Every structure is written in C-alpha cells, then in structure tokens.
Amino acid sequence: MPTIPATDVDLHTESARIDPYPIYARLRELGPVVYLSRYDLYALPRYDDVRAASTDWQTFSSARGVFVDPVVNAQLEGITLCSDPPEHTALRSVLGRPLRQDRMRELTPRIEAEADRVVAELVERGRFDVVADLAEHLPMTVVSDLVGLPGHARRKMLGWAEAVWNTQGPADERAAAAMPAVQEFLTFAAEEAVPGTIDPEGWAAHLYRAADRGEIAREKCPMVMLDYITPSLDTTILAITNTIALFAANPDQWDLLRKDRSLIPHAINESLRLESPVPQFSRVLTADHDIGGVPLAAGSRVALLYGSGNRDERHYPDPERFDITRRPGDHLAFGRGEHVCVGMHLARLEIGVLLQRLADRVHRFEIRHSRPLINNGLRGLDYLEVVVEPA
Ligand code: HEM
C-alpha cells in the first residue's frame, strides 16, 4: 500500500506567504497527497486532484469549515462557504441573486463611469499606488453602495475583511492580532447592519426580505451579509494589483492586449491562474477515499492548494510564464463545483472594465516600489507604486 509522504514545511511563515511557489513545487513532486504534520492537514498540490475534490462535495465536505485552525472551523460551521447542500443551496441561491451573470448588465454603466474617472485622473497624475489609488476604488465605492451599509462602516470594511482573512490560517500571532477587529465586525453585522440602518434597496436588505419570505432563517442574515463584504474586497483588489504588476513585468503582453481587446477575459484568467489571491481552502472527508492511488481515512482534513494546482506543470505547460493567449479558463482561482466563487462575475466585470480603460490610456507601466501583503488567507501585494507612460 502506498504511504503518504509527510513534511513539516510551514505554509504560513512570512517568507512562505510572500513566495509559496518553491514549496508548492516540492509538494507536487512529493505526490498527489502530502501530509503537512504541523497542521494535521493532507495537502493536494496537483491540478487534477484539486479539481476532482472541488467537484465532489459529497466526499469533500465544507460543512466542518474550510480553514486550518479547528477553533475557527467550528465557529464558522453553517455559513455559505462552510456548508453542504441542501443548506448550502438555499443560502447560496439567496446570496447569489444580485451576483448572477445576467444582473451584471445593470451594474456595468456605473462601474464603467467610475473606472473612466479614476483611470483618467491617475494617468494624468502619472505616478500612483495601484493598491490604494486604483484597485481599491471599485470594490470600495461601488460594492459598498450596492450592499447598502451605513456610512461609518465603509471606512472600516477593508480592515474588518482583512482581519477575517487573517483568521483563516493557523492560530498564530497574525490570527490573534486580528481577533478584536473580527469581533467588531461580527457585532456590527448582528446589531448595526440591520433593517432601519441599511439602504432598503441594497443587497443586505434583500437578505432580510428573503428571510421574511421564509427562504432563509432570519438569524442567518448577519453571517450571509458578511459574504458580500469579506470575500469581495481584498480578493478583487489583489487580483487587480497582481494583473498590473504582471503587465508591468511583461510589456509584450500589454502590447498584445492593447492591440486585441478580446484577450481581456483570457488575461484575467491568466493573471488569476499565475497569482491566485486565495491560495487554499480545505475540506473534510466524509468517507474513506483514494486520491491518486493513496488511501485517506474519513474525517481527514484536506487542503485544496488552488495556488499550486494553478502552476502544475502536469496541466499547464511552462506554468510560470504569463501568457495571455494561453486561455486557461479551467483555472482553480475561483474554486470549482458547488462552492465556485459566487462573486466571480462581479470580479471579472470590475477587472475587465479597468483593463479596458487602462488599455485606452496607458502605453507602459513601470514599477517603482512594491511590498507584499502578509496575510494568513490571501496572497498578493499590499503596495505597488508605478509610473505610467500615457498612450
Ligand atoms: C478575484 C476575486 C475573487 C477571488 C480570487 C475569489 C476566490 C474565491 C474562491 C477560491 C472561492 C471558493 C471557495 C471554496 O472552494 O470553498 C470563492 C467563493 C466565494 N466567493 Fe469569491 N473570489 C473573488 C471575488 C469575490 C467577490 C467579488 C465576491 C462577492 C461579491 C465573492 C464572494 C464569494 C462567496 C460568498 C463565496 C462562497 C461561495 C460558496 O460557498 O458557495 N468573491 N471565492
């Protein structure tokens, strides 16, 4: 019987958060399943196994949490991300209503107008921080308006969301430091973001109306409301920033995109593949299960390493190369299957509109300074100062 290779490698050190890719390559070499002894986790580092696990919720359950730390996993059981059908189906159908692909048409003019304004201003300025000045703009203005939160919350949203992501790894110092902000966020969701203070036309209010119609339990509303905030901000901000950094480093690809705008959707996929903002989530096995010929016992927690699968040389030839003609629509950065990112159409719209406007106005990006984000659940840049040469 094949044995499972084990390693005490730590995917949550500062250097691993900045550059996990050499570790991922070693894990892919070791086998289809590798035991991460530090966190009692079985990691799936290869594309095919991550994809198969994501699309088999009956065996790979989300209902016992999808993070690393057992305490956080126990606390978050029952939220959309951490549930299985049929409960998951009911929550997701209410949550996903305003995020459906056919609803994006209504949002497009507003997002285009905002993108137009911000890109024109930044190109005029010539030098700016992509994170704070460009990437944060659409998620922070448009999305917060759509959710319809009371004004003071908007200033805090980003800090709250980043704190929640920091609890998604092991119970380390980063997670401990995030706890007060997480608590504040939960209190806000339960006590302040309620009918009477939220915009009656916003997405948050629509959840409470769905509860009134009996579609979801009313006590679920605060947690489901958090699903509009926590996963929608930093993920998209990181994706936009990573995309600009990749185009700055690969000017030939920027020239290609400027000449042929039909490449924009492929460029978004290629950027997400190469620099996945959410490197992993986990599942728990509901039954004994064989992965690539290796038997795993029911109850094992299995980490789906999206960021590693997306660079698997078995699936993507020359995986480290940024190539917007590659068309990697099958990447894992939004997950797959039952829990595939419910906000992906919005994220694609925001990134796509920004790329359109930038392609109209920018000939070259030149990176001056950058700083990595150190976060337990996310990966990307925290700061990216560029100089742009106008078109
Ligand atoms: C580029 C940006 C984004 C990335 C990379 C991303 C990534 C992901 C990933 C990997 C998952 C799968 C979870 C799993 O496998 O368990 C997911 C689920 C989810 N995402 Fe996103 N996301 C992005 C943008 C957004 C936006 C804009 C929203 C909301 C407006 C959002 C809301 C959600 C929610 C609620 C889920 C849970 C879905 C479920 O469990 O059924 N995401 N996302």
Side-chain angles (χ1 to χ4, degrees):
M1 183 160 301
T3 52
I4 300 175
T7 166
D8 70 347
V9 71
D10 188 352
L11 281 167
H12 286 86
T13 62
E14 193 166 305
S15 65
R17 297 319 287 167
I18 296 170
D19 183 11
Y21 298 113
I23 300 177
Y24 287 161
R26 280 208 311 279
L27 296 177
R28 286 195 301 273
E29 271 306 295
L30 281 172
V33 187
V34 181
Y35 182 60
L36 304 182
S37 55
R38 242 167 235 273
Y39 303 121
D40 190 20
L41 266 181
Y42 292 88
L44 307 189
R46 296 182 184 168
Y47 180 92
D48 285 348
D49 306 303
V50 176
R51 183 168 177 145
S54 324
T55 47
D56 176 6
W57 63 265
Q58 286 94 341
T59 313
F60 292 85
S61 167
S62 295
R64 285 167 61 189
V66 299
F67 311 118
V68 174
D69 177 42
V71 176
V72 173
N73 278 324
Q75 279 167 350
L76 292 179
E77 277 181 17
I79 66 168
T80 317
L81 186 64
C82 306
S83 56
D84 289 336
E87 188 188 14
H88 171 259
T89 317
L91 290 171
R92 183 168 166 123
S93 100
V94 172
L95 165 74
R97 225 164 269 162
L99 295 168
R100 285 195 324 241
Q101 192 163 18
D102 60 316
R103 299 289 297 276
M104 292 301 114
R105 229 169 297 133
E106 297 160 29
L107 307 184
T108 305
R110 168 114 190 265
I111 290 181
E112 283 178 341
E114 281 294 332
D116 248 349
R117 204 177 55 70
V118 74
V119 169
E121 190 190 306
L122 291 176
V123 173
E124 174 79 30
R125 216 199 284 174
R127 183 175 185 142
F128 55 91
D129 169 18
V130 173
V131 179
D133 301 329
L134 177 75
E136 285 181 7
H137 188 74
L138 291 180
M140 290 299 284
T141 52
V142 180
V143 177
S144 64
D145 260 6
L146 292 169
V147 179
L149 298 181
H152 72 280
R154 298 181 184 202
R155 287 186 303 279
K156 298 205 147 186
M157 273 189 333
L158 208 50
W160 285 340
E162 199 178 316
V164 174
W165 283 101
N166 256 329
T167 63
Q168 303 194 354
D172 59 7
E173 278 171 23
R174 252 171 256 138
M179 281 307 172
V182 172
Q183 208 44 58
E184 192 182 62
F185 191 22
L186 295 177
T187 306
F188 162 79
E191 293 172 13
E192 288 184 60
V194 290
T197 65
I198 49 180
D199 175 354
E201 300 308 316
W203 296 351
H206 120 90
L207 296 176
Y208 282 91
R209 284 200 295 277
D212 291 341
R213 290 192 299 270
E215 293 175 36
I216 54 171
R218 197 177 169 87
E219 64 270 18
K220 289 271 182 190
C221 287
M223 285 311 266
V224 180
M225 201 266 297
L226 300 188
D227 283 335
Y228 286 132
I229 303 171
T230 314
S232 71
L233 302 175
D234 306 80
T235 50
T236 315
I237 294 165
L238 290 168
I240 294 167
T241 309
N242 293 340
T243 306
I244 304 300
L246 285 167
F247 277 120
N250 297 274
D252 60 318
Q253 299 296 303
W254 184 242
D255 290 342
L256 268 182
L257 183 106
R258 291 193 67 216
K259 268 195 226 109
D260 180 359
R261 306 299 171 85
S262 72
L263 289 171
I264 287 178
H266 308 299
I268 296 172
N269 282 332
E270 176 65 347
S271 160
L272 288 166
R273 178 192 73 78
L274 198 57
E275 299 292 355
S276 308
V278 182
Q280 74 176 63
F281 278 129
S282 70
R283 302 288 191 261
V284 169
L285 280 183
T286 56
D288 294 350
H289 190 72
D290 195 278
I291 298 172
V294 181
L296 272 188
S300 305
R301 184 167 288 281
V302 181
L304 316 185
L305 300 187
Y306 300 128
S308 175
N310 276 336
R311 288 194 181 211
D312 186 355
E313 41 291 283
R314 291 159 196 78
H315 190 76
Y316 296 111
D318 198 2
E320 321 248 304
R321 193 157 60 89
F322 178 59
D323 173 2
I324 65 169
T325 64
R326 186 193 293 269
R327 300 175 189 237
D330 59 354
H331 68 75
L332 305 165
F334 285 128
R336 291 254 141 198
E338 222 62 24
H339 291 273
V340 67
C341 179
V342 75
M344 68 178 172
H345 305 300
L346 177 60
R348 286 186 195 284
L349 176 64
E350 294 175 85
I351 306 168
V353 167
L354 279 178
L355 284 179
Q356 277 284 1
R357 293 302 177 266
L358 289 164
D360 290 340
R361 292 177 183 270
V362 175
H363 171 60
R364 280 284 176 271
F365 300 97
E366 206 183 291
I367 297 178
R368 287 298 158 90
H369 299 287
S370 70
R371 187 176 60 227
L373 176 75
I374 310 293
N375 182 285
N376 275 344
L378 295 165
R379 191 190 161 274
L381 296 172
D382 191 32
Y383 180 75
L384 177 68
E385 189 181 325
V386 293
V387 170
V388 295
E389 191 184 308

